Each structure stands twice: as structure tokens, then as C-alpha cells.
Amino acid sequence: MGLFLPYEKMWDMPLGGVSDEKQIPHWFGNLAFVVVGAVCKVLFRYTVSGRETLRAFKGKCGAVVICNHTSFLDVAFIYLSARPSQWIRLMGRDSLFDNAHGLVGQILSRVGAFPVKRDSADRTSIKRATKMLKDDELVGILPEGTRRGKGTKIPSLHAGAAFIAKMGKVPMIPMTVRNAELVKQKGQRIHFPKITVEYGTPIVLADFQFLDKADRLEACTWYAMRECFAMSKNIPAEEVDMVSLFPETRDYSDIFKEHPIPKRTPVEAMAACR
């Protein structure tokens, strides 16, 4: 059953996908899905919208799943939304894995997460993510790095998510966990709102070729995050105020107004990446 495994070893093991290598044992992930899923279903009555987009990639192509980050519960719902037939390999802040004398690292690794060093070009994590994608696995990335509104750091966007999608030659899938930020707000008691996980349409890097090469990856990540916030706020993407959300990041609104990005079906997105 693989009861005891160094979590560093699990970071390089497949989970789902098409690799013939020995996988991370599934028993813990399945148990977590049943227990955590049942609790979240009762407390938050959560539903998943657009999951058919994710399912279309199963066994055919990897994808980078990109999500905005409003709550500590985001990662739980990202994980639950793909189960039981798929796994999302979440990139998590490296400092999380040593918490509780490594217990947190063992739990996170068992469900497929792996570490990334913040604010740096972590080549090891990029190589891991690329291999997962080429093995038709799903890699989840929260480009904001930390929960919005926590701490004093000004939110900014980087090209990392799009760069990893480029290296793996896969599409990006935007998603959001709506209302998770309402569970615990500063100075208020805990609430139990209805939570909806929503997946959007796939995004293909080839559709951004009209942009200068120096801007292309950042613009792609910016566009994907705008899609995430549009779903989160239930508004058209053009109405998302990205300047307020990311004041230190270039605003690409006018560019995408002039050059609309086509909406791709999963089949079209997978074909465009091959």
C-alpha cells in the first residue's frame, strides 16, 4: 500500500496520466476525496460547472489548470473538482511542505502536490511540471502565489504558468472557486456559503502569436487570470478591472480588445498544441 514514502520521492512519481512508471499510491488520495468531499458537500453544498472540459483531456493530453487565489480552501476544491477520475498536481509554496514536522508535506504529496520556490525561476519544479504534462497529467497553478488580501505584498503576475504550458506543449484551462472567500472574512465569524467550482474554455498559446515574443507569455497568463476573475465575479471578462487587481503588471485590455482571442473547444485546443 505504500504506507511510508519520503515525500521528496513522490514529487517525481506520476499520478494519473499515461506513464508506465510506478505511481503514487492512490489509497490516501481516494480516502481524502471521500472524507473531505463529504464534509465539503454538507457544509458548502459545492457543485462543479464546466467539468466536461477537464474530462475531455483525460488520457489524451495534459493541461495547466490556472486559478485565482482568494481562500485557503481553494486548493481543497481544486482537488475535489477533478476527482474521482482525474488528479490535479498542484504546485505549492515550498515552505508548506515542512510544516508540522513534515506531516503537511506527506499529506500534500500523497494527493499529488509538489513544491515550487516563490519569486524565483525554480528549474526543478518546472522540469517536474513539464514531465507531468508530457505524461498527460494535469498541473494546477495559482499564479498569485498567496491568498489575495493577505499580507502587504502587492499582487503581481508573471509568465510562469504560460511558460510551463509552453514547455509541456499543452493548453491552459482557467477556473475559479466562487464564494470561498466568504467562508472567513476578517473580523467576522465563519460562514458556510454555497461554493461553485467553475472551469472555463481552454486557452492555446498559439493564439497569442500576434504579440511580441517578449510579452507573449505574460500576456497569456494575464488573459487566463482575467478569465478566472470573470468567472469568479460572474461578469464578462472585459469588465474585470485588471489594473486594480494587478497594479504592477502591464494592462493588456486594449490589445485583446483589438485582437480577440478565439474560444476553443477542448478538441480544438488539443489539436492546436500537437
Side-chain angles (χ1 to χ4, degrees):
M1 293 178 64
L3 188 59
F4 299 104
L5 281 173
Y7 51 78
E8 295 90 343
K9 181 178 180 179
M10 288 185 277
W11 300 339
D12 293 311
M13 296 174 70
L15 185 61
V18 295
S19 174
D20 292 329
E21 298 176 26
K22 184 178 180 181
Q23 298 202 5
I24 297 172
H26 291 192
W27 67 269
F28 182 87
N30 291 336
L31 179 63
F33 170 65
V34 171
V35 175
V36 178
V39 171
C40 289
K41 200 70 173 178
V42 170
L43 295 180
F44 304 110
R45 308 169 306 285
Y46 83 92
T47 57
V48 183
S49 174
R51 183 157 47 193
E52 62 275 8
T53 297
L54 199 69
R55 294 289 187 253
F57 285 81
K58 183 180 178 183
K60 298 177 182 178
C61 183
V64 171
V65 178
I66 183 171
C67 185
N68 59 318
H69 198 10
T70 63
S71 166
F72 62 93
L73 286 172
D74 289 337
V75 293
F77 285 104
I78 292 170
Y79 168 73
L80 291 173
S81 69
R83 303 292 293 129
S85 63
Q86 288 169 288
W87 308 79
I88 294 181
R89 307 291 301 268
L90 277 164
M91 296 180 75
R93 188 173 72 246
D94 59 341
S95 58
L96 292 173
F97 288 77
D98 291 327
N99 287 346
H101 304 289
L103 178 60
V104 173
Q106 185 71 207
I107 292 171
L108 291 175
S109 302
R110 287 277 178 178
V111 297
F114 62 103
V116 61
K117 295 177 182 177
R118 288 177 61 180
D119 302 320
S120 67
D122 188 344
R123 294 184 180 182
T124 300
S125 65
I126 291 172
K127 286 178 64 177
R128 285 190 177 116
T130 300
K131 184 179 185 303
M132 293 169 188
L133 293 170
K134 289 183 176 180
D135 287 336
D136 293 351
E137 296 187 57
L138 303 170
V139 173
I141 299 177
L142 302 164
E144 292 170 282
T146 189
R147 286 171 288 159
R148 180 164 287 273
K150 302 297 180 181
T152 58
K153 187 177 179 180
I154 298 175
S156 62
L157 279 180
H158 304 284
F163 178 73
I164 289 171
K166 178 184 177 182
M167 294 295 291
K169 299 180 180 179
V170 299
M172 301 170 68
I173 304 175
M175 70 169 294
T176 195
V177 182
R178 191 182 302 126
N179 293 334
E181 71 278 9
L182 302 179
V183 174
K184 183 65 177 76
Q185 296 179 301
K186 189 174 181 180
Q188 298 185 21
R189 62 181 178 84
I190 295 177
H191 294 82
F192 299 97
K194 178 176 172 58
I195 288 178
T196 301
V197 181
E198 183 172 349
Y199 286 93
T201 56
I203 297 168
V204 178
L205 267 67
D207 292 332
F208 296 78
Q209 293 290 347
F210 64 89
L211 288 159
D212 290 339
K213 191 173 182 180
D215 299 325
R216 196 173 301 154
L217 295 178
E218 180 183 85
C220 185
T221 301
W222 183 98
Y223 180 88
M225 285 301 293
R226 189 175 71 166
E227 293 291 302
C228 294
F229 278 103
M231 290 186 288
S232 177
K233 299 174 182 292
N234 254 331
I235 61 175
E238 295 75 16
E239 295 181 13
V240 177
D241 187 353
M242 291 292 281
V243 174
S244 295
L245 291 169
F246 301 101
E248 294 187 346
T249 302
R250 179 182 174 183
D251 181 30
Y252 293 91
S253 300
D254 290 341
I255 293 176
F256 290 126
K257 186 176 181 179
E258 184 179 351
H259 298 275
I261 301 299
K263 296 295 184 182
R264 298 278 197 170
T265 66
V267 173
E268 291 172 339
M270 285 185 278
C273 290
R274 293 195 174 101

